[in-house]
Coordinates of all heavy atoms in Angstrom, one line a residue:
L21 N 3.3 23.6 41.4 CA 3.2 24.8 42.0 C 3.6 25.8 41.0 O 4.8 25.9 40.6 CB 4.1 24.9 43.3 CG 3.9 26.1 44.1 CD1 2.5 26.2 44.7 CD2 4.9 26.0 45.3
E22 N 2.7 26.8 40.8 CA 3.0 27.8 39.8 C 2.9 29.2 40.4 O 3.8 30.1 40.0 CB 2.1 27.7 38.5 CG 2.4 26.5 37.7 CD 1.4 26.4 36.4 OE1 0.6 27.3 36.3 OE2 1.5 25.5 35.8
L23 N 1.9 29.5 41.1 CA 1.6 30.9 41.7 C 1.9 30.8 43.1 O 1.4 30.0 43.9 CB 0.3 31.3 41.5 CG -0.2 31.2 39.9 CD1 -1.6 31.5 39.9 CD2 0.7 32.1 39.0
I24 N 2.7 31.9 43.7 CA 2.9 31.9 45.1 C 2.8 33.4 45.5 O 3.4 34.4 44.9 CB 4.4 31.5 45.4 CG1 4.6 30.0 45.0 CG2 4.7 31.7 47.0 CD1 6.0 29.6 45.2
N25 N 2.0 33.6 46.6 CA 1.9 34.9 47.3 C 2.4 34.8 48.7 O 1.7 34.3 49.5 CB 0.5 35.4 47.2 CG 0.4 36.8 47.8 OD1 1.4 37.3 48.4 ND2 -0.6 37.5 47.7
I26 N 3.7 35.2 48.9 CA 4.2 35.1 50.3 C 4.6 36.5 50.8 O 5.6 36.7 51.4 CB 5.3 34.1 50.4 CG1 6.3 34.3 49.4 CG2 4.6 32.7 50.4 CD1 7.6 33.4 49.6
S27 N 3.9 37.5 50.4 CA 4.2 38.9 50.8 C 4.1 39.0 52.3 O 3.2 38.3 52.9 CB 3.4 39.9 50.0 OG 2.0 39.7 50.3
Q28 N 4.7 39.9 52.9 CA 4.7 40.2 54.3 C 4.8 39.1 55.2 O 4.1 38.9 56.1 CB 3.3 40.9 54.6 CG 3.0 42.1 53.7 CD 1.7 42.7 54.0 OE1 0.8 42.1 54.6 NE2 1.5 43.9 53.4
N29 N 6.0 38.4 55.0 CA 6.3 37.2 55.8 C 7.7 37.2 56.4 O 8.1 36.2 56.9 CB 6.1 35.9 55.0 CG 4.5 35.6 54.9 OD1 4.0 35.1 56.0 ND2 4.0 35.7 53.8
R30 N 8.4 38.3 56.2 CA 9.7 38.3 56.7 C 10.7 37.3 56.1 O 11.6 36.8 56.7 CB 9.8 38.2 58.3 CG 8.9 39.4 58.9 CD 9.1 39.5 60.4 NE 10.5 39.6 60.9 CZ 11.1 40.8 61.0 NH1 10.6 41.9 60.4 NH2 12.4 40.8 61.5
I31 N 10.5 36.9 54.8 CA 11.2 36.0 54.1 C 12.6 36.6 53.8 O 12.7 37.8 53.4 CB 10.6 35.7 52.7 CG1 9.2 35.1 52.9 CG2 11.4 34.7 51.9 CD1 9.0 33.9 53.6
T32 N 13.6 35.9 54.0 CA 15.0 36.3 53.8 C 15.6 35.8 52.5 O 14.9 35.0 51.8 CB 15.9 35.9 55.0 OG1 16.0 34.4 55.0 CG2 15.4 36.4 56.3
D33 N 16.9 36.1 52.2 CA 17.5 35.5 51.1 C 17.5 34.0 51.1 O 17.4 33.4 50.0 CB 19.0 36.1 50.9 CG 19.0 37.5 50.6 OD1 18.0 38.0 49.9 OD2 19.9 38.2 50.9
A34 N 17.7 33.4 52.3 CA 17.7 32.0 52.4 C 16.4 31.4 51.9 O 16.4 30.3 51.2 CB 18.1 31.5 53.8
G35 N 15.3 32.1 52.3 CA 14.0 31.5 51.9 C 13.8 31.7 50.4 O 13.2 30.8 49.6
A36 N 14.3 32.8 49.8 CA 14.2 33.1 48.4 C 15.0 32.0 47.7 O 14.6 31.5 46.6 CB 14.7 34.5 48.0
M37 N 16.1 31.6 48.2 CA 17.0 30.7 47.5 C 16.3 29.2 47.5 O 16.4 28.5 46.6 CB 18.4 30.6 48.1 CG 19.1 31.9 47.8 SD 20.7 31.8 48.7 CE 21.2 33.5 48.3
T38 N 15.6 29.0 48.6 CA 14.8 27.8 48.7 C 13.7 27.8 47.6 O 13.5 26.7 46.9 CB 14.3 27.5 50.1 OG1 15.4 27.5 51.0 CG2 13.5 26.3 50.1
L39 N 13.0 28.8 47.5 CA 11.9 28.9 46.5 C 12.5 28.8 45.1 O 11.7 28.3 44.2 CB 11.2 30.3 46.7 CG 10.4 30.4 47.9 CD1 9.8 31.8 48.0 CD2 9.1 29.5 47.8
A40 N 13.7 29.2 44.9 CA 14.3 29.2 43.6 C 14.5 27.8 43.0 O 14.7 27.5 41.9 CB 15.6 30.0 43.5
N41 N 14.4 26.8 44.0 CA 14.4 25.5 43.6 C 13.2 24.9 43.0 O 13.1 23.7 42.5 CB 14.9 24.6 44.7 CG 16.3 24.9 45.2 OD1 17.2 25.0 44.4 ND2 16.5 25.0 46.5
I42 N 12.1 25.6 43.1 CA 10.8 25.2 42.5 C 10.7 25.7 41.1 O 10.2 26.9 40.9 CB 9.6 25.6 43.4 CG1 9.8 25.3 44.9 CG2 8.2 25.1 42.9 CD1 8.9 25.9 45.9
K43 N 11.2 24.9 40.2 CA 11.3 25.3 38.8 C 10.0 25.6 38.1 O 10.0 26.2 37.0 CB 12.2 24.3 38.0 CG 13.5 24.0 38.6 CD 14.3 25.3 38.7 CE 15.7 25.0 39.3 NZ 16.4 26.2 39.7
S44 N 8.8 25.2 38.6 CA 7.6 25.4 37.9 C 6.9 26.7 38.3 O 5.9 27.1 37.7 CB 6.6 24.3 38.3 OG 6.4 24.3 39.8
I45 N 7.6 27.5 39.1 CA 6.9 28.9 39.5 C 6.9 29.8 38.3 O 7.8 30.0 37.6 CB 7.7 29.5 40.6 CG1 7.6 28.7 41.9 CG2 7.3 30.9 40.8 CD1 8.5 29.2 43.0
T46 N 5.7 30.4 38.0 CA 5.5 31.3 36.9 C 5.2 32.7 37.5 O 5.5 33.7 36.9 CB 4.4 31.0 36.0 OG1 3.2 30.9 36.8 CG2 4.6 29.7 35.3
M47 N 4.7 32.8 38.7 CA 4.5 34.1 39.3 C 4.8 34.0 40.9 O 4.3 33.0 41.4 CB 3.0 34.5 39.2 CG 2.7 36.0 39.6 SD 1.2 36.3 40.6 CE 1.4 35.5 42.0
I48 N 5.4 35.0 41.3 CA 5.7 35.0 42.8 C 5.6 36.5 43.2 O 6.1 37.5 42.7 CB 7.1 34.5 43.1 CG1 7.3 34.4 44.6 CG2 8.2 35.2 42.3 CD1 8.5 33.6 45.0
N49 N 4.8 36.7 44.3 CA 4.7 37.9 45.0 C 5.5 37.8 46.3 O 5.0 37.1 47.2 CB 3.2 38.4 45.3 CG 3.1 39.6 46.0 OD1 4.1 40.2 46.5 ND2 1.9 40.2 46.1
I50 N 6.6 38.4 46.4 CA 7.4 38.3 47.6 C 7.8 39.6 48.1 O 8.8 40.0 48.7 CB 8.7 37.4 47.2 CG1 9.4 36.9 48.5 CG2 9.6 38.2 46.3 CD1 10.3 35.8 48.3
G51 N 6.8 40.5 47.9 CA 6.9 41.9 48.3 C 6.8 42.1 49.9 O 6.3 41.2 50.6
D52 N 7.3 43.1 50.4 CA 7.3 43.4 51.8 C 8.0 42.3 52.7 O 7.5 41.7 53.6 CB 5.9 43.6 52.3 CG 5.3 44.9 51.9 OD1 5.9 45.9 51.9 OD2 4.2 44.8 51.4
N53 N 9.2 41.9 52.3 CA 10.0 40.9 53.0 C 11.4 41.4 53.2 O 11.6 42.6 53.2 CB 10.0 39.5 52.2 CG 8.7 38.9 52.3 OD1 8.4 38.3 53.5 ND2 7.9 38.7 51.3
L54 N 12.3 40.6 53.3 CA 13.7 40.9 53.7 C 14.7 40.5 52.6 O 15.8 40.1 52.9 CB 14.1 40.4 55.0 CG 13.2 40.8 56.2 CD1 13.5 40.0 57.5 CD2 13.3 42.4 56.5
I55 N 14.3 40.5 51.4 CA 15.1 40.0 50.3 C 16.1 41.1 49.8 O 15.7 42.2 49.7 CB 14.0 39.6 49.1 CG1 13.0 38.7 49.5 CG2 14.9 39.1 47.9 CD1 13.5 37.4 50.0
S56 N 17.3 40.7 49.6 CA 18.3 41.5 49.1 C 18.7 41.1 47.7 O 18.0 40.2 47.1 CB 19.5 41.6 50.0 OG 20.3 40.4 50.0
D57 N 19.8 41.6 47.1 CA 20.3 41.2 45.8 C 20.6 39.8 45.6 O 20.2 39.2 44.6 CB 21.6 42.0 45.5 CG 21.3 43.5 45.5 OD1 20.2 44.0 45.4 OD2 22.3 44.3 45.6
A58 N 21.1 39.1 46.7 CA 21.4 37.7 46.6 C 20.1 36.9 46.4 O 20.1 35.9 45.5 CB 22.1 37.2 47.8
G59 N 19.1 37.2 47.1 CA 17.8 36.4 47.0 C 17.1 36.7 45.6 O 16.7 35.8 44.9
V60 N 17.2 38.0 45.1 CA 16.6 38.3 43.8 C 17.4 37.6 42.8 O 16.8 37.2 41.6 CB 16.4 39.8 43.7 CG1 17.6 40.4 43.3 CG2 15.2 40.0 42.6
N61 N 18.7 37.5 42.9 CA 19.6 36.8 41.9 C 19.1 35.4 41.8 O 18.9 34.9 40.6 CB 21.0 36.9 42.3 CG 22.0 36.4 41.3 OD1 21.7 36.4 40.1 ND2 23.0 35.7 41.8
A62 N 18.8 34.7 42.8 CA 18.4 33.3 42.7 C 17.0 33.2 42.1 O 16.7 32.4 41.2 CB 18.4 32.7 44.1
L63 N 16.0 34.0 42.6 CA 14.7 34.0 42.0 C 14.6 34.3 40.6 O 13.8 33.7 39.7 CB 13.8 35.0 42.8 CG 13.4 34.6 44.2 CD1 12.7 35.8 44.9 CD2 12.6 33.3 44.3
S64 N 15.4 35.2 40.1 CA 15.4 35.7 38.7 C 15.9 34.6 37.7 O 15.7 34.7 36.5 CB 16.1 37.0 38.5 OG 17.4 36.8 38.8
K65 N 16.4 33.6 38.2 CA 16.9 32.4 37.3 C 15.8 31.4 37.2 O 16.0 30.4 36.4 CB 18.1 31.8 38.0 CG 19.3 32.7 38.0 CD 20.5 32.0 38.6 CE 21.7 32.9 38.7 NZ 22.8 32.4 39.4
L66 N 14.6 31.5 37.7 CA 13.6 30.5 37.6 C 13.2 30.5 36.1 O 12.8 31.5 35.4 CB 12.3 30.9 38.4 CG 12.4 30.7 39.9 CD1 11.4 31.4 40.6 CD2 12.4 29.2 40.1
P67 N 13.2 29.3 35.5 CA 13.0 29.2 34.0 C 11.7 29.6 33.4 O 11.5 29.9 32.3 CB 13.4 27.7 33.7 CG 13.1 27.0 35.1 CD 13.4 28.0 36.1
K68 N 10.6 29.5 34.3 CA 9.2 29.8 33.8 C 8.7 31.1 34.3 O 7.5 31.4 34.0 CB 8.3 28.6 34.1 CG 8.7 27.3 33.4 CD 7.7 26.2 33.6 CE 8.1 25.0 32.9 NZ 7.2 23.9 33.2
L69 N 9.5 31.9 35.0 CA 9.1 33.0 35.7 C 8.5 34.0 34.7 O 9.1 34.4 33.7 CB 10.1 33.7 36.5 CG 9.8 34.8 37.4 CD1 8.9 34.2 38.6 CD2 11.1 35.4 38.0
Q70 N 7.3 34.5 35.0 CA 6.7 35.6 34.1 C 6.5 36.8 34.9 O 6.5 37.9 34.4 CB 5.3 35.1 33.5 CG 5.5 33.9 32.5 CD 4.2 33.4 32.1 OE1 3.2 34.1 32.1 NE2 4.2 32.2 31.5
F71 N 6.1 36.9 36.2 CA 5.8 37.8 37.0 C 6.6 37.7 38.4 O 6.5 36.7 39.0 CB 4.3 38.0 37.3 CG 3.5 38.2 36.1 CD1 2.9 37.1 35.6 CD2 3.4 39.4 35.6 CE1 2.2 37.3 34.4 CE2 2.7 39.6 34.5 CZ 2.0 38.5 33.9
L72 N 7.4 38.8 38.7 CA 8.1 38.8 40.0 C 7.8 40.1 40.7 O 8.3 41.2 40.2 CB 9.6 38.6 39.7 CG 10.6 38.7 40.9 CD1 10.3 37.6 41.9 CD2 12.0 38.6 40.3
F73 N 7.1 40.1 41.7 CA 6.7 41.3 42.5 C 7.7 41.4 43.7 O 7.6 40.5 44.6 CB 5.3 41.2 43.0 CG 4.3 41.1 41.8 CD1 3.8 39.8 41.4 CD2 3.9 42.2 41.1 CE1 3.0 39.7 40.3 CE2 3.0 42.0 40.0 CZ 2.6 40.8 39.6
L74 N 8.4 42.6 43.8 CA 9.4 42.6 44.8 C 9.2 44.0 45.6 O 10.2 44.4 46.3 CB 10.8 42.7 44.1 CG 11.2 41.4 43.4 CD1 12.3 41.7 42.4 CD2 11.6 40.3 44.4
L75 N 8.2 44.6 45.6 CA 7.9 45.8 46.3 C 8.4 45.8 47.7 O 8.1 44.8 48.4 CB 6.4 46.2 46.1 CG 6.0 47.5 46.8 CD1 6.6 48.7 46.0 CD2 4.5 47.5 46.9
R76 N 9.1 46.8 48.2 CA 9.5 46.9 49.6 C 10.3 45.8 50.1 O 10.0 45.1 51.1 CB 8.3 47.2 50.6 CG 7.7 48.5 50.3 CD 6.7 48.9 51.4 NE 5.4 48.3 51.2 CZ 4.3 48.7 50.5 NH1 4.4 49.9 50.0 NH2 3.2 48.1 50.5
N77 N 11.5 45.6 49.4 CA 12.5 44.7 49.9 C 13.9 45.5 49.9 O 13.8 46.8 49.6 CB 12.7 43.5 48.9 CG 11.7 42.4 49.3 OD1 11.7 41.7 50.2 ND2 10.6 42.3 48.4
D78 N 14.9 44.8 50.1 CA 16.3 45.6 50.2 C 17.1 45.3 49.0 O 18.3 44.9 48.9 CB 17.0 45.1 51.4 CG 16.2 45.4 52.7 OD1 15.8 46.6 52.8 OD2 16.3 44.6 53.6
I79 N 16.5 45.6 47.7 CA 17.2 45.3 46.5 C 17.7 46.7 46.0 O 17.2 47.7 45.9 CB 16.1 44.7 45.5 CG1 15.6 43.4 46.0 CG2 16.8 44.6 44.0 CD1 14.4 43.1 45.3
T80 N 19.1 46.6 45.5 CA 19.7 47.7 45.0 C 19.8 47.7 43.5 O 19.3 46.8 42.9 CB 21.3 47.8 45.5 OG1 21.9 46.6 45.0 CG2 21.3 47.6 47.1
D81 N 20.6 48.6 42.9 CA 20.7 48.6 41.5 C 21.4 47.3 41.0 O 21.1 46.8 39.9 CB 21.6 49.8 41.0 CG 20.9 51.1 41.2 OD1 19.6 51.1 41.4 OD2 21.5 52.1 41.1
Q82 N 22.2 46.8 41.8 CA 22.8 45.4 41.4 C 21.8 44.3 41.3 O 21.9 43.6 40.4 CB 24.0 45.0 42.4 CG 24.7 43.8 42.0 CD 25.8 43.4 43.0 OE1 25.7 43.8 44.1 NE2 26.6 42.5 42.7
G83 N 20.9 44.3 42.2 CA 19.8 43.3 42.2 C 19.0 43.5 40.8 O 18.6 42.5 40.3
A84 N 18.7 44.7 40.5 CA 18.0 45.0 39.3 C 18.7 44.6 38.1 O 18.1 44.0 37.2 CB 17.7 46.5 39.1
Q85 N 20.1 44.7 38.2 CA 21.0 44.2 37.1 C 20.9 42.7 36.9 O 20.8 42.1 35.9 CB 22.4 44.8 37.2 CG 23.3 44.4 36.0 CD 22.8 45.1 34.8 OE1 22.6 46.4 34.7 NE2 22.6 44.4 33.7
F86 N 20.9 42.0 38.1 CA 20.8 40.5 38.1 C 19.5 40.1 37.4 O 19.5 39.2 36.6 CB 20.8 40.0 39.6 CG 22.0 40.0 40.3 CD1 22.0 40.2 41.6 CD2 23.2 39.8 39.7 CE1 23.2 40.2 42.4 CE2 24.4 39.8 40.4 CZ 24.4 40.0 41.7
I87 N 18.4 40.8 37.7 CA 17.1 40.5 37.1 C 17.3 40.5 35.6 O 16.9 39.7 34.7 CB 16.0 41.3 37.6 CG1 15.7 41.0 39.1 CG2 14.6 41.1 36.7 CD1 14.8 41.9 39.8
S88 N 17.7 41.7 35.1 CA 17.9 42.0 33.7 C 18.8 41.0 33.0 O 18.5 40.4 31.9 CB 18.5 43.4 33.5 OG 18.7 43.6 32.1
D89 N 19.9 40.6 33.6 CA 20.8 39.6 33.0 C 20.3 38.2 33.0 O 20.3 37.5 32.0 CB 22.1 39.7 33.8 CG 22.9 41.0 33.6 OD1 22.6 41.7 32.6 OD2 23.9 41.2 34.4
N90 N 19.7 37.8 34.2 CA 19.3 36.5 34.4 C 18.1 36.1 33.5 O 17.8 35.0 33.0 CB 19.0 36.2 35.9 CG 20.3 36.1 36.7 OD1 21.3 36.0 36.1 ND2 20.1 36.3 37.9
I91 N 17.2 37.1 33.4 CA 15.9 36.8 32.7 C 16.2 36.4 31.2 O 15.5 35.5 30.7 CB 14.9 38.0 32.7 CG1 13.5 37.5 32.6 CG2 15.2 39.1 31.8 CD1 12.9 36.8 33.7
T92 N 17.2 36.9 30.6 CA 17.5 36.6 29.2 C 18.3 35.3 29.1 O 18.2 34.6 28.1 CB 18.3 37.7 28.5 OG1 19.5 38.1 29.3 CG2 17.5 39.0 28.4
K93 N 19.0 34.9 30.2 CA 19.8 33.7 30.1 C 19.0 32.5 30.5 O 19.2 31.4 29.9 CB 20.9 33.8 31.2 CG 22.1 34.7 30.8 CD 23.2 34.5 31.8 CE 24.2 35.6 31.8 NZ 25.1 35.7 32.9
Y94 N 18.2 32.5 31.5 CA 17.5 31.4 32.1 C 16.0 31.2 31.8 O 15.5 30.1 32.0 CB 17.7 31.4 33.7 CG 19.1 31.4 34.1 CD1 19.8 32.6 34.5 CD2 19.9 30.3 34.1 CE1 21.1 32.6 34.9 CE2 21.2 30.2 34.5 CZ 21.8 31.4 34.8 OH 23.1 31.4 35.2
N95 N 15.4 32.3 31.4 CA 13.9 32.2 31.4 C 13.5 31.7 30.0 O 13.8 32.3 28.9 CB 13.3 33.6 31.6 CG 11.8 33.5 31.8 OD1 11.1 33.1 30.9 ND2 11.4 33.9 32.9
T96 N 12.8 30.5 29.9 CA 12.4 29.9 28.7 C 11.2 30.8 28.1 O 10.8 30.5 26.9 CB 12.0 28.6 28.8 OG1 11.0 28.4 29.8 CG2 13.2 27.7 29.3
N97 N 10.5 31.6 28.9 CA 9.4 32.4 28.4 C 9.8 33.8 27.9 O 8.9 34.6 27.5 CB 8.3 32.6 29.5 CG 7.7 31.3 29.9 OD1 7.4 30.4 28.9 ND2 7.4 31.0 31.1
Y98 N 11.1 34.2 28.0 CA 11.5 35.4 27.6 C 11.2 35.8 26.2 O 11.5 35.0 25.3 CB 13.0 35.6 27.9 CG 13.6 36.9 27.4 CD1 13.4 38.1 28.2 CD2 14.4 37.0 26.2 CE1 13.9 39.3 27.7 CE2 15.0 38.2 25.9 CZ 14.7 39.3 26.6 OH 15.2 40.5 26.2
D99 N 10.6 36.9 25.9 CA 10.3 37.5 24.7 C 10.5 39.0 24.6 O 9.8 39.7 25.2 CB 8.9 37.2 24.3 CG 8.5 37.6 23.0 OD1 9.3 38.3 22.3 OD2 7.3 37.4 22.6
A100 N 11.7 39.4 24.1 CA 12.0 40.7 24.1 C 11.0 41.7 23.5 O 10.9 42.8 23.8 CB 13.3 40.9 23.4
D101 N 10.1 41.2 22.6 CA 9.1 42.0 22.0 C 8.0 42.3 22.9 O 7.2 43.2 22.8 CB 8.5 41.3 20.8 CG 9.6 41.2 19.7 OD1 10.6 42.0 19.6 OD2 9.5 40.2 18.9
R102 N 7.9 41.5 24.0 CA 6.8 41.8 25.1 C 7.2 42.7 26.2 O 6.4 43.0 27.1 CB 6.4 40.4 25.7 CG 5.6 39.6 24.7 CD 5.1 38.3 25.2 NE 5.0 38.3 26.7 CZ 4.9 37.2 27.4 NH1 4.9 36.1 26.8 NH2 4.8 37.3 28.7
I103 N 8.5 43.1 26.2 CA 9.0 44.0 27.3 C 8.7 45.5 27.0 O 8.8 45.9 26.0 CB 10.4 43.7 27.6 CG1 10.5 42.3 28.1 CG2 10.9 44.7 28.7 CD1 12.0 41.8 28.4

């Protein structure tokens, strides 16, 4: 499983944490759900993640910082020259 579109499904942080166990995910659209900083922290640790769509969730500046920090630590596809 690599691509997931589960936008507009009332997914919570618990659901995001469950999805974070699927290490093969490269793209996830989880917009228009109920994800907060805890859920995005888990998702941003996916090792192959290339695209993470989070439009209209409950993510704060702390969640954005989790993404920034985790993408460089955990993502095997990270390339600073492509950002």
Side-chain angles (χ1 to χ4, degrees):
L21 185 61
E22 294 180 359
L23 309 175
I24 299 176
N25 181 352
I26 51 171
S27 62
Q28 302 177 350
N29 280 289
R30 304 185 56 79
I31 305 293
T32 63
D33 289 334
M37 291 175 191
T38 299
L39 288 171
N41 291 317
I42 306 171
K43 304 300 182 194
S44 59
I45 294 175
T46 60
M47 190 220 67
I48 185 166
N49 181 351
I50 198 162
D52 290 311
N53 281 291
L54 305 171
I55 306 297
S56 73
D57 297 339
V60 80
N61 184 33
L63 290 171
S64 64
K65 293 178 181 177
L66 286 165
K68 295 182 179 183
L69 190 66
Q70 295 176 15
F71 300 97
L72 178 60
F73 300 95
L74 297 164
L75 183 68
R76 291 191 282 269
N77 278 288
D78 296 320
I79 299 162
T80 68
D81 290 345
Q82 182 181 14
Q85 188 63 52
F86 287 147
I87 295 168
S88 177
D89 292 345
N90 291 341
I91 205 76
T92 58
K93 283 184 196 174
Y94 299 100
N95 193 298
T96 57
N97 293 319
Y98 175 71
D99 181 355
D101 294 331
R102 289 183 22 197
I103 296 178

